Structure formats: C-alpha cells, structure tokens
Amino acid sequence: MGGVTSTWTEPSDSPLTLLLLGKGVDPASERGVDCPGELPAPSDPDLVARATAAKAALGDRVFVLGHHYQRDEVIRFADVTGDSFKLAQQAAARPDAEFIVFCGVHFMAESADILTKPEQRVILPDLAAGCSMADMAVLGQVETAWEHFEDLGITGQIVPVTYMNSSADIKGFVGRNSGVVCTSSNAKRALDWSFEQGSKVFFLPDQHLGRNTAVLEMGFELDDCVLYDPHKPKGGLTDEQLINARMILWRGHCSVHGRFTLDSVREVRERVPGVNVLVHPECRHEVVRAADFVGSTEYIIKALDAAPAGSAWAVGTELNLVRRLALAHPDKQIMFLDRTVCYCSTMNRIDLPHLVWTLEELVAGRVPNVITVDEKTAHEARVALDQMLALP
Ligand code: SF4
C-alpha cells in the first residue's frame, strides 16, 4: 500500500456534532456520576507517557479492553479490541488478570463482571459512560409489561430475548423467564430458537435489530411486529394487537445508528456512483432495506478488509470505527454514511485522562470505579447468556 494516500474525508461539523447524552439532558437515562478523583488535564503533554508507564508497572495484573467505538487515544492502550460480546469473552479468558479495565460502556463492564471470576475486578474508567439504548429498558418497566402480558394470558407463548446491549437486570429478567441473550451477529439464530420454544418473542431493548431480523431475515411481515412503548399505558397497544403479534418490540433504539436516514443513503448514492452502502442492523428498517449490505461491527470490519482495492463504501456505524477503517484501507474509498459527525458520546467519555487516572490509581493501590453485579442477578443473567452460547 506504499504511496497510497487515504481518501478519508472528515464529516462536517454541525450543531449535532455530539449527541448530548451524559450531559444532564436526560437524567433518567444517564448514570451521571462524577469522577471521584483528580483527572489529569487533557492538555497534559505527558498523558501518553503516563499511561504507558502505569500500564507497564501493572504488567499482567491489568488487562485493558477497547470497544471498536472508542477513541484512538484510548484504543492504542487496549490489549484487545472488539465488540461487546467478544470483549466479555476475552475478559473471561484472562482469569489471571486482577483488573479488567473496560474501555466501553456500563452494560459491557457488567457482562464482563458476570463472566469473570469473583476475585477479578472490572473497572469502567468513567462511571458516566452508559448506553442510551440499554438505559431505555428499565427493569421496573419491563416487569410492568410482563404483568400486563400475564393478565392477557399470553406469557406462556412468549420467549423474551434481549440484545447484549442491555443492563444486567434485563438479562437477569430474561434468564429467569427462560429466554436468551443475542448479539447483532446471532440475532437470527436466537429468534429461530425462540420460535421453537414459543409462538411470540418479546424483544428488548432495540426495536430496530428485532424488526430488521424478523422481517428481513426470517420472512415476517411488518404487521407481525408491534411496538411496546413503556411510557404509554399498556404499551400504547390494544389487547388484540398484543394477542395477535408475533414480535413485541420494546421501544428502544441506538442514538447513534438511529441517526442514519433514507436521505443519507440517497444522497451518497447520488454523490458516489457505484458506492456500496454497508450498515449495522441497529439502523432504522428503511435504511437497512435501502443498504447493499448489513451486519454487525465484526461483519463490517471483515467486509471492508475483503473489499477490492478501488471500491467505494459508505458505512453506517459509529464514526471512530469508520475513520479507523478508512485510514487502515487507503486503497479503498471508505466514507461515513452521514454528512455530519456522529460519535457515541457516552462511549467517548472514556478519554485518555480517564484512562491515565484509572491506571495510576491502580498503581497506587486504589481500585476505582468497580462494576459489580449482585450474585442473584449475575446467576440469572448467566442463564440467558449460556442459552445464547448453546444456540444451535
Ligand atoms: S453506539 Fe449505541 S448501542 Fe452502542 S453504546 Fe453507544 S448508544 Fe449504546
């Protein structure tokens, strides 16, 4: 690839440069806790040297996980990168690491805590790094919905399925109701299994992944899916709708992937003839329908690795990842699907100052920001996770 210059063009700034999550705009959906320590200044020129020294001092005692959507400044210190499920598995595969520093968001650290040994400590460098999608399904709301389904006499037919991007509480709910966790890679397999166990699925918390999988991969009609809105009495649905539905979708979505629209697809096709549109299944149904390829983060990475030189790709997923992929493949024209910047702002809260602070605290013998799931919830969540691992 020598001599090839990257074709990457930064999306333009707009008033929507960063989604305003984690800024006190929606306290109900934010973890919102302050960092308890003295963070180094972002302008400190020694941050890289400090992180390098602290990580070296900790050696094998620490294992740093970096989600694909993290900033470059953090990813460079990750021992392994991946999507949420791969990272949880990687954490479980390091039983000797005393500390798992999870550069990701809250639900991911919870999953790592569930899958690691009790004596290992999972640390989230900024406790305010939540996930807006996971926070859209709160246990009390989900239990209220389930009670309503019980009143209708339909729980015996329903298998609850939750996306990996959900809190440990929700995974626990699914585990104790004989359901399964899924990822964006195995959602179809999880739904196939679920429809062998019952005639309906209650899909949490991402309506788009549920709908896209059911309609585009399994042949259901859009009318087979209903949207349960936890902010409306009885979900905003009639008894008849719930009784007839095959897929009861929770009204949740990813604030990042939900940004892409049909106009984004039309605009890029006009601007770049022959472009391949590649999107994540958390995107809206009409966007996924209009795309050429759809798949998980790992699928997107592999598709771009395998793409021929000279091909053009408009990618609908988080911007940090798309930029890194574009810079890694300068012989391909890789662009962001939208014209404006779109990061996962809660994921972006984990920056180099937070990582330096975390590692230096560990060196000093203090363990900050430990994420712990209580044993009962962890046990029930593990049932749903194990069911996923046992999927045919
Ligand atoms: S990209 Fe979306 S689903 Fe992923 S952590 Fe951010 S808000 Fe949550």
Side-chain angles (χ1 to χ4, degrees):
M1 279 195 236
V4 182
T5 314
S6 169
T7 56
W8 173 251
T9 307
E10 199 65 32
S12 59
D13 274 354
S14 79
L16 293 170
T17 294
L18 278 180
L19 300 174
L20 291 173
L21 302 171
K23 302 269 183 195
V25 169
D26 182 8
S29 69
E30 293 168 12
R31 305 270 164 192
V33 279
D34 291 330
C35 175
E38 288 273 315
L39 281 184
S43 56
D44 181 342
D46 295 330
L47 285 180
V48 170
R50 286 172 64 176
T52 306
K55 192 156 181 268
L58 290 162
D60 291 344
R61 295 175 65 205
V62 71
F63 190 58
V64 180
L65 303 172
H67 190 272
H68 285 311
Y69 300 167
Q70 283 291 344
R71 302 159 177 264
D72 290 346
E73 67 191 38
V74 168
I75 280 288
R76 64 186 290 180
F77 290 102
D79 293 306
V80 63
T81 61
D83 61 14
S84 58
F85 182 59
K86 178 179 165 191
L87 291 179
Q89 282 181 313
Q90 288 286 325
R94 292 293 188 293
D96 297 332
E98 224 175 303
F99 309 118
I100 306 289
V101 174
F102 208 127
C103 299
V105 295
H106 196 272
F107 77 80
M108 299 176 189
E110 284 186 329
S111 298
D113 184 56
I114 290 166
L115 295 174
T116 48
K117 290 172 36 178
E119 63 271 23
Q120 291 180 288
R121 250 91 63 90
V122 178
I123 296 156
L124 188 64
D126 184 343
L127 290 179
C131 160
S132 57
M133 179 203 284
D135 290 347
M136 286 174 195
V138 177
L139 182 61
Q141 297 172 326
V142 173
E143 286 176 335
T144 300
W146 196 252
E147 281 162 20
H148 178 43
F149 302 158
E150 260 165 5
D151 291 344
L152 291 178
I154 56 175
T155 42
Q157 306 161 38
I158 303 179
V159 178
V161 179
T162 191
Y163 189 21
M164 192 73 184
N165 300 16
S166 57
S167 67
D169 279 350
I170 299 300
K171 292 188 181 82
F173 165 86
V174 167
R176 70 178 166 271
N177 288 291
S178 309
V180 64
V181 174
C182 74
T183 68
S184 50
S185 307
N186 65 17
K188 178 178 183 303
R189 279 196 290 138
L191 289 186
D192 283 340
W193 174 84
S194 301
F195 280 110
E196 284 164 15
Q197 318 306 309
S199 57
K200 293 176 188 293
V201 161
F202 180 31
F203 195 92
L204 299 149
D206 184 14
Q207 57 167 303
H208 299 305
L209 179 65
R211 185 182 295 108
N212 288 332
T213 309
V215 174
L216 299 177
E217 292 193 56
M218 301 178 65
F220 283 99
E221 300 293 329
L222 278 174
D223 286 348
D224 293 322
C225 309
V226 293
L227 194 58
Y228 186 97
D229 184 342
H231 300 290
K232 291 185 178 163
K234 299 186 175 183
L237 296 167
T238 64
D239 293 354
E240 195 187 5
Q241 282 176 308
L242 282 166
I243 288 167
N244 291 334
R246 303 295 307 281
M247 290 285 290
I248 303 171
L249 304 169
W250 191 259
R251 194 184 184 107
H253 65 273
C254 167
S255 312
V256 175
H257 292 96
R259 284 279 303 278
F260 302 108
T261 62
L262 210 43
D263 280 346
S264 323
V265 179
R266 287 194 193 114
E267 192 275 332
V268 81
R269 289 204 194 280
E270 274 170 30
R271 189 160 45 89
V272 187
V275 70
N276 298 285
V277 176
L278 169 61
V279 302
H280 194 282
E282 288 172 22
C283 292
R284 298 169 197 219
H285 185 65
E286 64 271 23
V287 171
V288 171
R289 249 185 205 284
D292 302 301
F293 303 94
V294 55
S296 66
T297 306
E298 295 289 341
Y299 171 91
I300 289 172
I301 293 169
K302 284 185 188 144
L304 294 177
D305 282 348
S311 55
W313 296 81
V315 186
T317 191
E318 204 269 351
L319 179 55
N320 277 309
L321 175 63
V322 181
R323 183 195 293 111
R324 263 198 299 279
L325 289 168
L327 297 176
H329 297 290
D331 57 333
K332 302 164 196 177
Q333 192 186 353
I334 296 174
M335 65 209 83
F336 193 57
L337 177 56
D338 201 58
R339 290 281 243 182
T340 54
V341 176
C342 187
Y343 294 108
C344 174
S345 64
T346 45
M347 187 86 74
N348 264 258
R349 294 182 75 104
I350 301 198
D351 55 8
L352 192 50
H354 280 89
L355 183 60
V356 168
W357 172 75
T358 302
L359 295 173
E360 290 183 347
E361 285 289 291
L362 292 175
V363 172
R366 295 181 290 268
V367 188
N369 294 4
V370 177
I371 303 298
T372 313
V373 179
D374 70 81
E375 192 36 52
K376 178 175 179 293
T377 305
H379 170 75
E380 290 171 343
R382 226 177 276 123
V383 169
L385 285 162
D386 284 346
Q387 184 55 63
M388 173 177 78
L389 295 174
L391 285 173

